[in-house]
Amino acid sequence: MYGCFDDVCNNPSDAWSVMEENKIGILFVNGEWRASSVMAGYHEYSDKNALRAAMIVYLMMKDEDK
């Protein structure tokens, strides 16, 4: 587990371990950040905030685990 985070949507040091462990990548496409992962299916989300997009992809992955 990851422990306690202050602000995973705005603090790269909080978000990095989640992104790395879950193989979540980010790209800048058409004025927004696109986060995606191919672990356990394909998940993708776009947002103006790169870390927020990545954390939403993480939540999508966890929701699929249920």
Side-chain angles (χ1 to χ4, degrees), residues 5-61:
F5 297 115
D6 289 326
D7 195 359
V8 292
C9 290
N10 293 303
N11 187 346
S13 63
D14 286 345
W16 182 252
S17 62
V18 176
M19 292 171 65
E20 183 178 30
E21 185 173 315
N22 292 283
K23 310 294 188 265
I24 299 171
I26 54 174
L27 295 169
F28 192 72
V29 179
N30 297 328
E32 288 193 327
W33 288 98
R34 182 176 298 163
S36 62
S37 178
V38 294
M39 283 187 65
Y42 183 77
H43 301 88
E44 180 178 86
Y45 189 82
S46 295
D47 194 88
K48 292 186 186 298
N49 178 324
L51 298 178
R52 182 174 190 273
M55 294 305 105
I56 289 173
V57 167
Y58 171 73
L59 292 174
M60 292 166 72
M61 293 168 66

